[in-house]
Amino acid sequence: MTQFDRRLHPVRPDLAARAYEGKCSADRFVDGRRMAIAADIVPLRGEPSELAGIDTELLYGETFTVFDERGGWSWGQNDTDGYVGWLPTETLGAHFKPTHRVKMLRTYRYPEAELKRPPKGLISLGALVHVVRHAETRGLTYAELADGSYVVAEHLAPLEHRVEDWVATAEAMLGTPYLWGGRSTMGTDCSGLVQLSTQSGGYQLRRDADMQEATAGEALSLEDGLPALQRGDLLFWKGHVGLMSDPETLLHANGYTMTVAYEPLNVALERIAKNEFGALTAVRRLQAPAT
């Protein structure tokens, strides 16, 4: 019987997504219901409990397909990267088709087109929105969103927008607190930093470090030692990933400084080799994203 990674496949012994009918055994197969993340940031967990660890986070406006509901929790799959897990049902709202994404590190959602009003929330880089119309107050243009809230229009970019230098996005997150399972500019882990920053350049990377190591870009050979590195190369250890800011400087979200931080690569290699991650396992280089 095929073994399905629970992080990527909505398959359980008692229930599975309809698409898996004939591919696995389950007591029943169900059609999903598409919803949208209606809270600023939502932890996704492996079990329907506040005590369960955070696997990842979902951002405002992302589509979440629900396959099961139980005691105030919903089990389903994030459309952005395919991650499967549980989240509080109350954090979901009606599905909408995004038109823009947040391009700044973060931006406030206001109850009206007025920066003097107390904000309703704070959404992260990468959050998705549907712009209904625009309004101007004292020369500042706001975008009205599908839920009736407003954000500064300049903080948004069309979905197809790409930055030329996605590493600069990662560098803008310098000092962001380290958060296990974090995937926002309020707090991130190592693979969250890589996923969020590469997304600004038009890439769609998987969520966790092992997934990124298996699928991101092109592997560079380590047979003759460390290859000549360049800005944007991804370095992997068992359970950890960082990116090169320049050929000699690693940028990574890490539990050593508990921040997104620069570290000389030679220092990082020596230090990391002594801890749980061990020796470097792979270097991968991203190719230009598909147009």
Side-chain angles (χ1 to χ4, degrees), residues 76-91:
Q77 187 170 33
N78 182 19
D79 273 18
T80 299
D81 55 21
Y83 218 102
V84 174
W86 293 89
L87 51 69
T89 301
E90 66 182 7
T91 63

Side-chain angles (χ1 to χ4, degrees), residues 63-128:
T63 296
F64 187 73
T65 303
V66 177
F67 298 104
D68 190 22
E69 293 184 50
R70 178 191 308 171
W73 291 82
S74 292
W75 180 73
Q77 187 170 33
N78 182 19
D79 273 18
T80 299
D81 55 21
Y83 218 102
V84 174
W86 293 89
L87 51 69
T89 301
E90 66 182 7
T91 63
L92 295 172
H95 177 257
F96 62 83
K97 184 177 181 180
T99 60
H100 294 72
R101 71 173 66 249
V102 175
K103 69 177 182 180
M104 309 299 286
L105 289 182
R106 56 197 73 91
T107 190
Y108 284 108
R109 291 190 299 118
Y110 295 98
E112 60 184 88
E114 173 54 75
L115 60 81
K116 296 182 179 180
R117 288 295 306 277
K120 297 176 65 175
L122 180 65
I123 55 179
S124 170
L125 170 76
L128 301 174

Side-chain angles (χ1 to χ4, degrees), residues 56-289:
T56 185
E57 292 178 323
L58 274 59
L59 304 179
Y60 180 89
E62 289 188 307
T63 296
F64 187 73
T65 303
V66 177
F67 298 104
D68 190 22
E69 293 184 50
R70 178 191 308 171
W73 291 82
S74 292
W75 180 73
Q77 187 170 33
N78 182 19
D79 273 18
T80 299
D81 55 21
Y83 218 102
V84 174
W86 293 89
L87 51 69
T89 301
E90 66 182 7
T91 63
L92 295 172
H95 177 257
F96 62 83
K97 184 177 181 180
T99 60
H100 294 72
R101 71 173 66 249
V102 175
K103 69 177 182 180
M104 309 299 286
L105 289 182
R106 56 197 73 91
T107 190
Y108 284 108
R109 291 190 299 118
Y110 295 98
E112 60 184 88
E114 173 54 75
L115 60 81
K116 296 182 179 180
R117 288 295 306 277
K120 297 176 65 175
L122 180 65
I123 55 179
S124 170
L125 170 76
L128 301 174
V129 300
H130 179 94
V131 175
V132 176
R133 66 182 184 91
H134 292 88
E136 187 173 306
T137 303
R138 295 189 301 279
L140 182 62
T141 303
Y142 297 81
E144 181 183 351
L145 309 185
D147 67 354
S149 62
Y150 293 77
V151 300
V152 175
E154 182 59 28
H155 291 181
L156 305 177
L159 292 182
E160 65 274 14
H161 174 77
R162 297 174 177 175
V163 300
E164 292 187 8
D165 181 10
W166 64 265
V167 177
T169 303
E171 291 174 325
M173 292 177 63
L174 189 69
T176 299
Y178 179 86
L179 174 65
W180 181 271
R183 183 177 159 258
S184 81
T185 57
M186 272 65 95
T188 187
D189 62 15
C190 61
S191 54
L193 172 68
V194 169
Q195 186 193 49
L196 202 57
S197 56
T198 55
Q199 184 183 65
S200 71
Y203 299 93
Q204 295 296 323
L205 268 60
R206 292 292 192 180
R207 172 61 179 91
D208 292 341
D210 64 319
M211 301 174 187
Q212 294 173 0
E213 182 174 354
T215 61
E218 173 186 332
L220 303 185
S221 175
L222 295 177
E223 289 186 3
D224 297 322
L226 199 63
L229 299 174
Q230 65 184 38
R231 182 174 172 86
D233 284 347
L234 304 179
L235 273 61
F236 294 90
W237 293 260
K238 184 178 175 59
H240 188 58
V241 60
L243 59 104
M244 299 306 296
S245 175
D246 61 50
E248 299 177 348
T249 308
L250 182 72
L251 178 63
H252 58 157
N254 64 90
Y256 178 65
T257 66
M258 288 301 291
T259 63
V260 174
Y262 291 119
E263 189 170 6
L265 179 59
N266 59 341
V267 174
L269 288 170
E270 181 178 355
R271 179 182 62 76
I272 295 173
K274 297 176 181 177
N275 69 23
E276 61 180 309
F277 300 128
L280 189 71
T281 57
V283 176
R284 300 188 72 92
R285 181 167 294 166
L286 300 181
Q287 309 304 309

Side-chain angles (χ1 to χ4, degrees), residues 11-17 25-30 68 70 75 86:
V11 172
R12 304 188 325 229
D14 64 318
L15 181 149
S25 295
D27 293 342
R28 61 192 179 101
F29 295 88
V30 299
D68 190 22
R70 178 191 308 171
W75 180 73
W86 293 89

